[in-house]
PDB file of all heavy atoms in Angstrom:
ATOM      1  N   SER A 106      42.103  78.946  90.335  1.00 68.00           N
ATOM      2  CA  SER A 106      43.056  78.841  91.441  1.00 68.00           C
ATOM      3  C   SER A 106      44.073  79.973  91.393  1.00 68.00           C
ATOM      4  O   SER A 106      44.397  80.582  92.422  1.00 68.00           O
ATOM      5  CB  SER A 106      43.770  77.485  91.390  1.00 68.00           C
ATOM      6  OG  SER A 106      44.830  77.426  92.320  1.00 68.00           O
ATOM      7  N   ALA A 107      44.585  80.275  90.199  1.00 62.00           N
ATOM      8  CA  ALA A 107      45.594  81.331  90.054  1.00 62.00           C
ATOM      9  C   ALA A 107      45.056  82.686  90.465  1.00 62.00           C
ATOM     10  O   ALA A 107      45.776  83.518  91.030  1.00 62.00           O
ATOM     11  CB  ALA A 107      46.088  81.381  88.605  1.00 62.00           C
ATOM     12  N   GLN A 108      43.768  82.938  90.202  1.00 61.00           N
ATOM     13  CA  GLN A 108      43.180  84.220  90.534  1.00 61.00           C
ATOM     14  C   GLN A 108      42.827  84.342  92.011  1.00 61.00           C
ATOM     15  O   GLN A 108      42.779  85.439  92.559  1.00 61.00           O
ATOM     16  CB  GLN A 108      41.910  84.439  89.684  1.00 61.00           C
ATOM     17  CG  GLN A 108      42.163  84.572  88.197  1.00 61.00           C
ATOM     18  CD  GLN A 108      42.907  85.849  87.856  1.00 61.00           C
ATOM     19  OE1 GLN A 108      42.659  86.893  88.440  1.00 61.00           O
ATOM     20  NE2 GLN A 108      43.819  85.777  86.906  1.00 61.00           N
ATOM     21  N   GLU A 109      42.561  83.212  92.663  1.00 64.00           N
ATOM     22  CA  GLU A 109      42.038  83.250  94.029  1.00 64.00           C
ATOM     23  C   GLU A 109      43.072  82.932  95.106  1.00 64.00           C
ATOM     24  O   GLU A 109      42.832  83.182  96.286  1.00 64.00           O
ATOM     25  CB  GLU A 109      40.870  82.254  94.156  1.00 64.00           C
ATOM     26  CG  GLU A 109      39.687  82.573  93.241  1.00 64.00           C
ATOM     27  CD  GLU A 109      38.680  81.442  93.198  1.00 64.00           C
ATOM     28  OE1 GLU A 109      38.906  80.427  93.909  1.00 64.00           O
ATOM     29  OE2 GLU A 109      37.685  81.566  92.465  1.00 64.00           O
ATOM     30  N   ILE A 110      44.229  82.381  94.723  1.00 65.00           N
ATOM     31  CA  ILE A 110      45.130  81.818  95.718  1.00 65.00           C
ATOM     32  C   ILE A 110      45.787  82.875  96.600  1.00 65.00           C
ATOM     33  O   ILE A 110      46.065  82.641  97.773  1.00 65.00           O
ATOM     34  CB  ILE A 110      46.207  80.942  95.025  1.00 65.00           C
ATOM     35  CG1 ILE A 110      46.881  80.063  96.065  1.00 65.00           C
ATOM     36  CG2 ILE A 110      47.209  81.793  94.266  1.00 65.00           C
ATOM     37  CD1 ILE A 110      47.722  78.978  95.453  1.00 65.00           C
ATOM     38  N   THR A 111      46.035  84.083  96.074  1.00 63.00           N
ATOM     39  CA  THR A 111      46.658  85.137  96.872  1.00 63.00           C
ATOM     40  C   THR A 111      46.412  86.491  96.229  1.00 63.00           C
ATOM     41  O   THR A 111      46.211  86.583  95.009  1.00 63.00           O
ATOM     42  CB  THR A 111      48.177  84.914  97.023  1.00 63.00           C
ATOM     43  OG1 THR A 111      48.727  85.951  97.830  1.00 63.00           O
ATOM     44  CG2 THR A 111      48.867  84.918  95.670  1.00 63.00           C
ATOM     45  N   ASP A 112      46.422  87.536  97.053  1.00 61.00           N
ATOM     46  CA  ASP A 112      46.297  88.905  96.552  1.00 61.00           C
ATOM     47  C   ASP A 112      47.658  89.587  96.425  1.00 61.00           C
ATOM     48  O   ASP A 112      47.738  90.723  95.971  1.00 61.00           O
ATOM     49  CB  ASP A 112      45.415  89.735  97.503  1.00 61.00           C
ATOM     50  CG  ASP A 112      43.975  89.237  97.519  1.00 61.00           C
ATOM     51  OD1 ASP A 112      43.524  88.720  96.490  1.00 61.00           O
ATOM     52  OD2 ASP A 112      43.325  89.356  98.570  1.00 61.00           O
ATOM     53  N   LYS A 113      48.721  88.915  96.850  1.00 65.00           N
ATOM     54  CA  LYS A 113      50.057  89.499  96.852  1.00 65.00           C
ATOM     55  C   LYS A 113      50.746  89.300  95.508  1.00 65.00           C
ATOM     56  O   LYS A 113      50.416  88.393  94.747  1.00 65.00           O
ATOM     57  CB  LYS A 113      50.910  88.866  97.957  1.00 65.00           C
ATOM     58  CG  LYS A 113      50.339  89.057  99.364  1.00 65.00           C
ATOM     59  CD  LYS A 113      51.209  88.344 100.386  1.00 65.00           C
ATOM     60  CE  LYS A 113      50.654  88.495 101.796  1.00 65.00           C
ATOM     61  NZ  LYS A 113      51.487  87.769 102.795  1.00 65.00           N
ATOM     62  N   GLU A 114      51.723  90.156  95.236  1.00 65.00           N
ATOM     63  CA  GLU A 114      52.570  89.998  94.062  1.00 65.00           C
ATOM     64  C   GLU A 114      53.650  88.967  94.389  1.00 65.00           C
ATOM     65  O   GLU A 114      54.445  89.166  95.312  1.00 65.00           O
ATOM     66  CB  GLU A 114      53.215  91.335  93.683  1.00 65.00           C
ATOM     67  CG  GLU A 114      52.244  92.367  93.157  1.00 65.00           C
ATOM     68  CD  GLU A 114      51.654  91.976  91.821  1.00 65.00           C
ATOM     69  OE1 GLU A 114      52.339  91.257  91.058  1.00 65.00           O
ATOM     70  OE2 GLU A 114      50.510  92.357  91.537  1.00 65.00           O
ATOM     71  N   VAL A 115      53.689  87.863  93.653  1.00 61.00           N
ATOM     72  CA  VAL A 115      54.659  86.806  93.923  1.00 61.00           C
ATOM     73  C   VAL A 115      55.350  86.414  92.615  1.00 61.00           C
ATOM     74  O   VAL A 115      54.831  86.639  91.526  1.00 61.00           O
ATOM     75  CB  VAL A 115      53.978  85.564  94.552  1.00 61.00           C
ATOM     76  CG1 VAL A 115      53.441  85.889  95.937  1.00 61.00           C
ATOM     77  CG2 VAL A 115      52.845  85.048  93.661  1.00 61.00           C
ATOM     78  N   GLY A 116      56.526  85.807  92.750  1.00 64.00           N
ATOM     79  CA  GLY A 116      57.284  85.352  91.591  1.00 64.00           C
ATOM     80  C   GLY A 116      56.717  84.066  91.018  1.00 64.00           C
ATOM     81  O   GLY A 116      55.797  83.457  91.573  1.00 64.00           O
ATOM     82  N   HIS A 117      57.302  83.633  89.886  1.00 60.00           N
ATOM     83  CA  HIS A 117      56.792  82.453  89.191  1.00 60.00           C
ATOM     84  C   HIS A 117      56.896  81.199  90.061  1.00 60.00           C
ATOM     85  O   HIS A 117      55.927  80.444  90.202  1.00 60.00           O
ATOM     86  CB  HIS A 117      57.569  82.245  87.884  1.00 60.00           C
ATOM     87  CG  HIS A 117      57.654  83.470  87.031  1.00 60.00           C
ATOM     88  ND1 HIS A 117      56.536  84.162  86.633  1.00 60.00           N
ATOM     89  CD2 HIS A 117      58.724  84.127  86.504  1.00 60.00           C
ATOM     90  CE1 HIS A 117      56.917  85.203  85.889  1.00 60.00           C
ATOM     91  NE2 HIS A 117      58.229  85.191  85.806  1.00 60.00           N
ATOM     92  N   LEU A 118      58.056  80.980  90.648  1.00 68.00           N
ATOM     93  CA  LEU A 118      58.250  79.776  91.457  1.00 68.00           C
ATOM     94  C   LEU A 118      57.442  79.829  92.750  1.00 68.00           C
ATOM     95  O   LEU A 118      56.897  78.815  93.195  1.00 68.00           O
ATOM     96  CB  LEU A 118      59.740  79.584  91.767  1.00 68.00           C
ATOM     97  CG  LEU A 118      60.621  79.229  90.565  1.00 68.00           C
ATOM     98  CD1 LEU A 118      62.072  79.100  91.000  1.00 68.00           C
ATOM     99  CD2 LEU A 118      60.156  77.924  89.906  1.00 68.00           C
ATOM    100  N   GLU A 119      57.353  81.019  93.346  1.00 71.00           N
ATOM    101  CA  GLU A 119      56.586  81.158  94.582  1.00 71.00           C
ATOM    102  C   GLU A 119      55.108  80.889  94.329  1.00 71.00           C
ATOM    103  O   GLU A 119      54.426  80.227  95.124  1.00 71.00           O
ATOM    104  CB  GLU A 119      56.775  82.558  95.166  1.00 71.00           C
ATOM    105  CG  GLU A 119      56.050  82.784  96.486  1.00 71.00           C
ATOM    106  CD  GLU A 119      56.538  81.858  97.588  1.00 71.00           C
ATOM    107  OE1 GLU A 119      57.712  81.418  97.533  1.00 71.00           O
ATOM    108  OE2 GLU A 119      55.734  81.553  98.496  1.00 71.00           O
ATOM    109  N   LEU A 120      54.600  81.401  93.199  1.00 68.00           N
ATOM    110  CA  LEU A 120      53.204  81.133  92.841  1.00 68.00           C
ATOM    111  C   LEU A 120      52.978  79.650  92.630  1.00 68.00           C
ATOM    112  O   LEU A 120      51.959  79.087  93.051  1.00 68.00           O
ATOM    113  CB  LEU A 120      52.837  81.909  91.566  1.00 68.00           C
ATOM    114  CG  LEU A 120      51.419  81.669  91.031  1.00 68.00           C
ATOM    115  CD1 LEU A 120      50.369  82.105  92.052  1.00 68.00           C
ATOM    116  CD2 LEU A 120      51.219  82.405  89.706  1.00 68.00           C
ATOM    117  N   PHE A 121      53.947  78.995  91.991  1.00 68.00           N
ATOM    118  CA  PHE A 121      53.814  77.559  91.754  1.00 68.00           C
ATOM    119  C   PHE A 121      53.829  76.790  93.079  1.00 68.00           C
ATOM    120  O   PHE A 121      53.063  75.838  93.268  1.00 68.00           O
ATOM    121  CB  PHE A 121      54.946  77.073  90.848  1.00 68.00           C
ATOM    122  CG  PHE A 121      54.797  75.636  90.415  1.00 68.00           C
ATOM    123  CD1 PHE A 121      53.793  75.255  89.551  1.00 68.00           C
ATOM    124  CD2 PHE A 121      55.677  74.659  90.872  1.00 68.00           C
ATOM    125  CE1 PHE A 121      53.654  73.938  89.155  1.00 68.00           C
ATOM    126  CE2 PHE A 121      55.546  73.346  90.484  1.00 68.00           C
ATOM    127  CZ  PHE A 121      54.536  72.986  89.612  1.00 68.00           C
ATOM    128  N   LYS A 122      54.708  77.215  94.011  1.00 72.00           N
ATOM    129  CA  LYS A 122      54.755  76.559  95.325  1.00 72.00           C
ATOM    130  C   LYS A 122      53.434  76.724  96.065  1.00 72.00           C
ATOM    131  O   LYS A 122      52.942  75.795  96.704  1.00 72.00           O
ATOM    132  CB  LYS A 122      55.894  77.149  96.166  1.00 72.00           C
ATOM    133  CG  LYS A 122      57.290  76.788  95.672  1.00 72.00           C
ATOM    134  CD  LYS A 122      58.346  77.458  96.538  1.00 72.00           C
ATOM    135  CE  LYS A 122      59.756  77.157  96.030  1.00 72.00           C
ATOM    136  NZ  LYS A 122      60.787  77.851  96.853  1.00 72.00           N
TER     137      LYS A 122
END
Side-chain angles (χ1 to χ4, degrees):
S106 171
Q108 294 292 321
E109 298 169 1
I110 196 168
T111 181
D112 294 330
K113 300 177 181 179
E114 291 293 331
V115 294
H117 309 305
L118 292 179
E119 182 62 27
L120 177 62
F121 187 69
K122 290 178 182 178

